Amino acid sequence: MAESIIHRLNADAEGFDAELDALLAWEAVSDAAVANAVESIVEAVKTRGDDAVLDYTRQFDGSTASSLSELELPTARLQQALDAIDSELKAALEHAAERIRQYHAHQKQESWSYAEADGTVLGQQIRPLDRAGLYVPGGKAAYPSSVLMNAIPAKVAGVPELIMVSPTPGGKLNEVVLAAAAIAGVDRFFAIGGAQAVAALAYGTETIPRVDKIVGPGNIYVATAKRQVFGQVGLDMIAGPSEILVVCDGKTDPDWIAMDLFSQAEHDEDAQSILISPDPAFLDAVEQSLERLLPTLERAAIAGVSLRERGALVQVADMDAAVELVNRIAPEHLELSVESPQALLPNIRHAGAIFMGRYTPEALGDYCAGPNHVLPTSGTSRFSSPLGVYDFQKRSSLIQCSAEASALGHTASVLARSESLTAHARSAELRWPRK
Ligand SMILES: NC(=O)c1ccc[n+]([C@@H]2O[C@H](COP(=O)([O-])OP(=O)(O)OC[C@H]3O[C@@H](n4cnc5c(N)ncnc54)[C@H](O)[C@@H]3O)[C@@H](O)[C@H]2O)c1
Ligand SMILES: N[C@H](CO)Cc1c[nH]c[nH+]1
Ligand SMILES: [Zn+2]
């Protein structure tokens, strides 16, 4: 019997929970061999700086550079790429960049303060990070869209210095990635990737400046390196392979849904595409579409493995059961391909991005709708949010007391003495003596 293109599950069948858990598990994150390899790379970059980054870039990306400075592309080179690309592509990048900028402008937080009756002023001061490190993946595919999604929120936040890294396998530069970096206003661009690039951004080397926070997705080596350098540097999140979860009432064209499932499956063999529907005949129709359309994909080999290993068509009793499953999976992308997505929305608790209605394919969000495509994966939308301007802003609390703030002084003194911290108490009492 031919192997089926995708798993078929029924949420009411015995053993469903275990089957679903097995599909959702993404074990690679805790792979010990990868963790050990990454630890050696991080340690080498920490101690040998540029030389180690160059050695690993030669080893993993086939670079022939003889110094790390050869792997830095001046901003004039980025502009040259922008000037030379096809005019339709340039217009599409600029259109996407503008929409991403407009959306993210709504996220910008401002400082605030308020005054109390005794003259005490309290507030919060918002400041951008000094320097951000942007990781743009480049191993199996190049991602100009990820350049925009990483850099534009940082720009909107007002970060003065953006350092971008992106690998160039075989030393072959991707001109569209460079052009996107020019549009987004990247300050320094290094053609390096993997754990060595993450370590270089975290610790700094002779050539690469240390950054305050590293953002952006990447493969298992990148994700593991980010995990290992956290604390030395801030992070946005640890992103895993791309995912899509579609909920459909059975009334959307099955070819549309099949292509939406492929759109994430084509990223990576580890990517995950799941469809949930109460209509078994519709699940059959989508399965047939998947079989018919798979051979027409450029990346059929990758998408085929992804669907076979981690994809699923899941039958549920009704839409309430579908929503319950959504919250359990907590997907990166959720498509609500139904007549009235607004009716389901109040009950959706966990999803990185929600695509509402039959005419909102997830692919638009990947490129140009406006919201960010760097999103929490592997169930982490339970506690994490999309990359945004807030990731590039920090908050400082502001406190200014007046000579009249004796009530505050008294409370501090009483609490400090209850903790036997008498210097704390006396610091308050010197200003506002106890009566
Ligand atoms: N969430 C998002 O927004 C988003 C966007 C785009 C891509 N992605 C995901 O990012 C990932 C990109 O992965 P990628 O591999 O294409 O590019 P990548 O840039 O993340 O990784 C390439 C690097 O991996 C390192 N590497 C490869 N094999 C190695 C080995 N054996 N030992 C040590 N290091 C090694 C190399 O240094 C290389 O430079 C995919 O999973 C894709 O789905 C996510
Ligand atoms: N779907 C990816 C995030 O999971 C982002 C992307 C970039 N290009 C195409 N898609
Ligand atoms: Zn995508």
Side-chain angles (χ1 to χ4, degrees):
M1 206 175 80
E3 196 181 2
S4 54
I5 191 165
I6 190 164
H7 297 260
R8 286 290 291 260
L9 307 181
N10 185 326
D12 293 321
E14 204 178 320
F16 170 74
D17 287 345
E19 273 182 290
L20 183 69
D21 286 349
L23 270 183
L24 296 179
W26 187 56
E27 299 298 342
V29 175
S30 54
D31 186 303
V34 171
N36 290 339
V38 167
E39 210 175 305
S40 317
I41 294 172
V42 170
E43 193 52 37
V45 171
K46 216 164 125 181
T47 52
R48 295 202 298 116
D50 279 1
D51 287 347
V53 177
L54 186 63
D55 287 348
Y56 289 120
T57 306
R58 293 167 72 100
Q59 180 182 344
F60 296 124
D61 294 329
S63 168
T64 54
S66 51
S67 74
L68 199 56
S69 50
E70 275 177 46
L71 293 171
E72 177 168 8
L73 302 176
T75 49
R77 175 68 182 84
L78 307 183
Q79 186 60 43
Q80 189 192 343
L82 180 59
D83 294 340
I85 59 168
D86 166 77
S87 59
E88 190 185 25
L89 186 50
K90 183 176 175 187
L93 279 175
E94 282 170 343
H95 183 211
E98 190 45 36
R99 292 186 60 87
I100 295 165
R101 205 170 282 126
Q102 276 174 16
Y103 177 87
H104 285 83
H106 288 276
Q107 291 179 340
K108 193 169 178 186
Q109 297 173 357
E110 302 295 343
S111 302
W112 51 265
S113 66
Y114 61 91
E116 296 180 327
D118 66 2
T120 299
V121 177
L122 301 174
Q124 187 169 264
Q125 175 169 276
I126 308 281
R127 286 286 181 265
L129 303 179
D130 284 347
R131 190 186 285 143
L134 317 175
Y135 189 95
V136 176
K140 293 181 188 163
Y143 291 102
S145 55
S146 299
V147 178
L148 303 180
M149 296 291 179
N150 276 292
I152 291 174
K155 277 279 174 196
V156 172
V159 178
E161 203 178 351
L162 306 187
I163 315 293
M164 175 177 150
V165 295
S166 189
T168 53
K172 195 162 169 12
L173 293 169
N174 181 293
E175 295 297 319
V176 193
V177 166
L178 305 192
I183 288 176
V186 165
D187 296 292
R188 298 185 69 183
F189 181 126
F190 295 92
I192 58 171
Q196 58 277 15
V198 172
L201 290 172
Y203 291 97
T205 70
E206 301 88 321
T207 306
I208 301 171
R210 190 182 84 172
V211 303
D212 300 301
K213 190 166 193 173
I214 302 174
V215 304
N219 66 10
I220 181 64
Y221 296 97
V222 172
T224 305
K226 282 176 77 174
R227 203 181 283 279
Q228 289 185 11
V229 299
F230 178 62
Q232 164 67 23
V233 70
L235 295 184
D236 52 346
M237 65 185 90
I238 311 278
S242 304
E243 304 161 4
I244 183 169
L245 176 57
V246 182
V247 171
C248 186
D249 52 14
K251 299 194 181 92
T252 309
D253 185 326
D255 280 4
W256 294 12
I257 300 298
M259 204 49 79
D260 296 354
L261 298 174
F262 283 141
S263 77
Q264 296 311 286
E266 75 172 349
H267 273 293
D268 197 319
E269 289 87 349
D270 289 332
Q272 182 151 66
S273 301
I274 297 178
L275 165 64
I276 301 174
S277 177
D279 181 346
F282 179 70
L283 295 175
D284 290 342
V286 172
E287 186 168 351
Q288 283 160 21
S289 295
L290 290 170
E291 273 161 4
R292 179 167 46 78
L293 294 171
L294 179 66
T296 70
L297 299 184
E298 301 263 345
R299 294 164 70 90
I302 294 174
V305 173
S306 159
L307 286 190
R308 235 178 0 260
E309 303 285 325
R310 303 201 66 212
L313 305 177
V314 185
Q315 186 185 333
V316 287
D318 51 29
M319 278 299 167
D320 287 346
V323 168
E324 202 182 307
L325 209 45
V326 167
N327 288 324
R328 176 167 158 196
I329 295 173
E332 178 189 23
H333 305 108
L334 171 64
E335 265 187 35
L336 296 177
S337 195
V338 298
E339 202 51 44
S340 175
Q342 282 80 6
L344 300 183
L345 200 55
N347 295 320
I348 305 287
R349 300 199 311 284
H350 311 301
I354 306 172
F355 298 79
M356 311 269 291
R358 304 189 206 288
Y359 281 90
T360 318
E362 186 277 341
L364 262 58
D366 280 348
Y367 294 105
C368 55
N372 212 285
H373 80 198
V374 181
L375 296 164
T377 62
S378 313
T380 58
S381 65
R382 285 178 296 114
F383 54 81
S384 188
S385 308
L387 182 67
V389 174
Y390 36 74
D391 285 296
F392 299 97
Q393 293 185 306
K394 302 179 295 101
R395 290 155 288 278
S396 299
S397 304
L398 296 178
I399 308 158
Q400 181 172 13
C401 296
S402 68
E404 284 69 47
S406 55
L408 274 182
H410 177 72
T411 298
S413 144
V414 170
L415 293 176
R417 287 188 182 280
S418 80
E419 292 179 354
S420 302
L421 295 175
T422 48
H424 286 64
R426 289 171 62 188
S427 155
E429 289 158 9
L430 284 172
R431 290 170 175 82
W432 300 281
R434 288 165 73 93
K435 301 217 170 77

